[in-house]
Amino acid sequence: MSENLLDCLVVGAGPAGLTAATYLARFRRHILLADAGASRARWIPASHNCPGFPFGVAGNELLARFRLQADTYGVPQVRTRIIRLERFDGGFIASDGARHWQARTVVLATGVVDRLPAIEGLEQAIANGTVRLCAVCDAYEARDEVIGVLAPAQAAIGHAAFLRTFSRHVFALAADDSPWNEAAQQQARDCGIQLWPGPQRLELIDGACLARSAEGRRLRLDTLYPVLGADAQSDLAAALGASLDHEGALAVDDHLQTSVPGLYAIGDVVSALNQISVAVGHAAIAATAVHRRLPENYC
Ligand SMILES: Cc1cc2nc3c(=O)[nH]c(=O)nc-3n(C[C@H](O)[C@H](O)[C@H](O)COP(=O)(O)OP(=O)(O)OC[C@H]3O[C@@H](n4cnc5c(N)ncnc54)[C@H](O)[C@@H]3O)c2cc1C
């Protein structure tokens, strides 16, 4: 066991964790940033709603800038996955299976993992914008295109309705084979959404997505939005009894503290809007709250 008690262990180095680590280092705290290296932001071909980047920024470039800022203030980083978090009198013990770290407080910035459809070439399609994963982020870029929203039938119309702000040509594609009842069909008519029953076969061809229905009908989409949910990486906190919402995201108070004292959560793993600006806002609030709860570090 390390003798070296950390003020704070930050788990996860996406926008949330890197920002929290930068704040804590600038508060002259003794911290460590542990990261498994799979930020959701790496998928972003170009973000156009990230404050301060009027001409857009690629996710990997943005992450590199966040990392450089953390490096500038000497944030120690370790590439590993924390697999266990336990309590002890003075705080928490984290383990990656081989090593242990003790920390007075922990900030979880572990994000979510998207549930993706099985489509060959998906990664490239995300890179070129044929498949998009976040309508709040980039529906503006898909305006006036033929857009398909792939989701469980009962949820698909609601998600498709969001896209109607951006295009007249929006299809709700059922990811399952449950039928739409008359009320759902009426809702779709009211919103100007076309229904495309499942199950689907989806292929990527020439920069477009081709959907084939069970009866063999074909639909060419400029953009596909799969909305199949995401798994919040909240297991470490859940094992300590932290409260979760109905989707497994962490419930937090106004200072981003979970229901476990000393355990904070920020970014996508929290029950909130999954956006970079939200993640960095969470980080600022949580890091400041952590600094205030720790013993004074007067110079
Ligand atoms: C295709 C796409 C486009 C997007 N476009 C935009 C956009 O334009 N604008 C916008 O605001 N947002 C956008 N987003 C959303 C944005 O990427 C997320 O909101 C943001 O990355 C959340 O940051 P985070 O730090 O909470 O989580 P992440 O960036 O996901 O980082 C979490 C980190 O924690 C690590 N981790 C998880 N568990 C552990 C563990 N047990 N131990 C150690 N490390 C762990 C992961 O490996 C990862 O590195 C987009 C997302 C996608 C997928």
Side-chain angles (χ1 to χ4, degrees), residues 10-151:
V10 180
V11 185
L18 283 160
T19 302
T22 297
Y23 269 68
L24 286 162
R26 288 174 49 82
F27 292 144
R28 311 184 75 183
R29 291 298 179 178
H30 176 39
I31 65 167
L32 179 72
L33 177 58
D35 182 49
S39 166
R40 209 175 163 230
R42 77 195 189 285
W43 293 103
I44 305 175
S47 171
H48 294 275
N49 70 356
C50 190
F53 292 91
F55 308 109
V57 59
N60 278 325
E61 188 196 331
L62 188 64
L63 286 169
R65 287 171 176 252
F66 279 117
R67 271 195 296 271
L68 178 61
Q69 197 165 4
D71 286 346
T72 303
Y73 296 100
V75 172
Q77 300 189 34
V78 55
R79 174 60 66 90
T80 194
R81 174 168 290 277
I82 301 299
I83 59 167
R84 207 165 39 252
L85 193 59
E86 291 165 342
R87 299 225 59 167
F88 81 107
D89 273 354
F92 299 87
I93 304 173
S95 165
D96 67 355
R99 292 164 290 181
H100 294 77
W101 295 272
Q102 288 179 296
R104 289 189 166 104
T105 59
V106 171
V107 174
L108 288 179
T110 43
V112 300
V113 173
D114 294 281
R115 289 181 216 139
L116 297 171
I119 310 178
E120 204 175 326
L122 185 67
E123 203 160 325
Q124 184 53 43
I126 294 172
N128 66 25
T130 306
V131 173
R132 297 180 181 272
L133 299 177
C134 170
V136 171
C137 306
D138 52 21
Y140 184 88
E141 275 64 47
R143 62 196 184 279
D144 300 328
E145 293 187 349
V146 180
I147 299 174
V149 177
L150 176 71

